[in-house]
Amino acid sequence: MVSLVDVKRSAATLFAQGQHLAALRLYDAIVAAAPLDFDARIRVADCALAMGDANAAKVYRAVGWYCLKSGHPLPALVCARVLEAHGADASDLTAAFVVNYGSESELLGKLATRVVLPADGLAITVPDVRQPAAADTVSVALARAEHATQQFKDFPESVHPVPLLSGMSEAALRRVLGTLLLRRVPADSYVIREGEPGNSFFFVAGGRLRVFATDGLGRQTDLAELGEGAVFGEMALLSAQPRSASVGCLTEVDLLEVGRQSLASLADELGPVAEALHGFTRERLLGNLMATSPLFKPFNRMQQRDLLRRFTSHDVAPGTVVIHEGEEGRGLFVVLAGELDVSRRTSDGTTVPLGGLKTGDVFGEMALLRNARTTATVVAQRTATVLFLAREYVERIVAAVPEIKKYLEALAEDREIDNQLVLGEDETPADERVLI
Ligand code: CMP
């Protein structure tokens, strides 16, 4: 006996190696033991299709309908897309998706449930795939996958809405469904790499993914794990900034991709969609800030939330001056999104760029710590969101939490040294400077 999750892993490896019959035998063993595992049923059809068996179409259609009724609409779209890719008609599945999960559906409700997938740890009896398979293995597996839930009656009366899609009008939803691209990604591959440009966002239809950030030293911080129904990749699309994190597949993953162009074709619907996407982005940016910023490190989750509530949030247009050189230090700023430029005016009146600030960077600390006037100007280079914490509160935290004081002091010192190097104000004789 092997756990369901391990059988799937082995089957996925066999499939990736082109051993489709062996993979099919393992997925079929799962369907036999756990008929509600619609993912294994889809994979049986994938294996049969890879072996050229046209009967796979019946399985995709049957599983698609089961998924729609059991509260798993995105895998139903996967089935529809595969059918269409092979020249079959799947308009019945798409139409049912619109009726059942569109904004006018009476099935969507607060008391929604979905039929859950069998547990990962479920024990499965697996065949020895090194032994020859019976002649009718494929047809038996296809029949089992097609009819696995034929007797199943316990469908929910009310289903969960699909993020974003269920908020659209039916006409818009139909248009979007027509543009969704199915991407089937093997385990252990990347979907998104941090720093790359982003032109699309994704719905997770199946499988699990890991979201992580990498710092300058190559250390990774886990930000989230995503599964069926999650949305990701929206941040770069909305902000026109590089990807803020990497997203890799922990298992085989089915994604439905929405490109920039299909978003543009939805111009009339864009308001609510963009608003919903902005909501995801904001929550995630705040979560990431708390997970990665040294400013939040000394605190537990509740304290972090409490500290965050003391900040005010400000969206600033490109060119907005956030700090004027020479003014009193008003408080501490944190870049939630966007980029800002830092510069200083020299005695001869020229403006010297000192550097840039990006997501997660803290600024405004120098004047606060030294109780002096600000020594540089900070201007938004592009649209940015900055969080602001008033001076009195910063002073209280600095006095109460030594780690924060140390962090801000080290930051201010490093920046001062960098600035002196840029401005050529270093007092140390040149031959005594150590530049590492
Ligand atoms: P984007 O920056 O385009 O590419 C990486 C994606 O990771 C990002 O969009 C978000 O969709 C996703 N992401 C970043 N942080 C989190 C988080 N804390 N939780 C879930 N998803 C995240």
Side-chain angles (χ1 to χ4, degrees):
M1 299 271 235
V2 187
S3 73
L4 185 148
V5 66
D6 287 338
V7 181
K8 278 196 182 170
R9 200 168 295 133
S10 307
T13 307
L14 288 168
F15 186 88
Q17 291 167 347
Q19 300 195 50
H20 301 129
L21 180 59
L24 174 136
R25 292 171 74 188
L26 293 186
Y27 286 124
D28 179 47
I30 298 176
V31 179
L36 297 188
D37 194 325
F38 57 82
D39 173 58
R41 293 170 69 193
I42 294 175
R43 305 279 166 198
V44 166
D46 292 343
C47 297
L49 188 64
M51 289 185 277
D53 196 319
N55 285 321
K58 293 187 205 157
V59 179
Y60 291 117
R61 191 173 302 284
V63 181
W65 277 104
Y66 168 78
C67 286
L68 283 173
K69 290 198 273 181
S70 62
H72 297 276
L74 294 172
L77 290 182
V78 172
C79 293
R81 273 286 173 274
V82 176
L83 283 168
E84 286 161 355
H86 290 85
D89 176 33
S91 53
D92 53 337
L93 288 172
T94 320
F97 180 98
V98 174
V99 172
N100 293 336
Y101 293 89
S103 55
E104 284 141 55
S105 167
E106 287 176 2
L107 272 183
L108 299 178
K110 286 217 165 60
L111 297 171
T113 50
R114 54 172 68 94
V115 182
V116 290
L117 273 165
D120 279 352
L122 185 76
I124 307 288
T125 309
V126 287
D128 181 351
V129 294
R130 289 164 305 185
Q131 299 301 322
D136 60 355
T137 298
V138 177
S139 57
V140 169
L142 281 175
R144 195 186 333 264
E146 182 184 349
H147 301 298
T149 47
Q150 214 167 29
Q151 307 301 324
F152 187 81
K153 297 273 181 297
D154 209 5
F155 292 110
E157 283 174 17
S158 175
V159 292
H160 293 279
V162 185
L164 305 177
L165 299 185
S166 292
M168 293 179 182
S169 70
E170 289 199 352
L173 180 54
R174 248 179 241 113
R175 259 185 293 152
V176 177
L177 292 185
T179 65
L180 290 179
L181 275 178
L182 172 61
R183 283 194 43 197
R184 314 197 74 186
V185 196
D188 301 324
S189 33
Y190 279 85
V191 181
I192 280 180
R193 283 179 197 272
E194 189 174 341
E196 289 185 348
N199 287 309
S200 52
F201 75 91
F202 304 86
F203 291 95
V204 182
R208 297 212 63 77
L209 303 107
R210 172 180 168 242
V211 184
F212 60 98
T214 311
D215 69 13
L217 298 173
R219 290 176 303 207
Q220 297 183 351
T221 307
D222 279 326
L223 298 175
E225 218 182 284
L226 307 176
E228 185 190 334
V231 173
F232 68 93
E234 78 295 348
M235 290 185 178
L237 199 62
L238 290 180
S239 61
Q241 300 244 33
R243 297 291 193 189
S244 63
S246 296
V247 185
C249 301
L250 295 169
T251 63
E252 289 182 301
V253 163
D254 285 337
L255 302 172
L256 295 159
E257 183 173 3
V258 185
R260 193 184 288 283
Q261 271 143 6
S262 53
L263 268 187
S265 75
L266 273 177
D268 47 336
E269 286 283 326
L270 219 52
V273 175
E275 207 173 292
L277 286 175
H278 274 297
F280 282 115
T281 298
R282 198 182 151 70
E283 271 310 302
R284 287 173 171 172
L285 284 170
L286 291 172
N288 295 354
L289 190 68
M290 290 189 289
T292 53
S293 169
L295 203 57
F296 290 88
K297 236 187 207 122
F299 304 108
N300 67 29
R301 269 240 168 262
M302 250 173 57
Q303 292 166 326
Q304 287 182 338
R305 284 263 158 213
D306 187 50
L307 175 56
L308 202 57
R309 245 179 270 127
R310 317 243 166 202
F311 281 87
T312 51
S313 173
H314 307 265
D315 292 327
V316 290
T320 307
V321 180
V322 181
I323 292 182
H324 284 275
E325 180 178 345
E327 70 183 9
E328 294 279 346
R330 284 173 289 139
L332 195 65
F333 299 84
V334 184
V335 185
L336 189 62
E339 277 170 42
L340 299 101
D341 290 326
V342 186
S343 62
R344 185 180 290 177
R345 276 178 91 77
T346 56
S347 43
D348 63 4
T350 49
T351 300
V352 181
L354 294 177
L357 297 163
K358 54 181 184 0
T359 301
D361 284 344
V362 169
F363 63 101
E365 79 294 347
M366 288 176 152
L368 289 191
L369 292 173
R370 296 180 186 155
N371 213 358
R373 291 188 172 267
T374 56
T375 53
T377 291
V378 179
V379 183
Q381 185 196 95
R382 50 167 87 210
T383 306
T385 306
V386 289
L387 302 179
F388 172 72
L389 189 61
R391 174 179 201 122
E392 305 71 55
Y393 200 77
V394 182
E395 281 167 355
R396 272 165 46 203
I397 298 189
V398 166
V401 189
E403 292 103 309
I404 299 257
K405 185 166 189 231
K406 230 163 99 188
Y407 160 65
L408 291 177
E409 274 173 353
L411 189 66
E413 245 165 67
D414 286 350
R415 284 176 170 168
E416 197 44 58
I417 293 171
D418 288 347
N419 292 351
Q420 283 174 1
L421 288 173
V422 172
L423 295 160
E425 287 171 1
D426 194 349
E427 305 285 275
T428 322
D431 54 359
E432 287 179 25
R433 280 184 210 152
V434 184
L435 295 178
I436 313 172

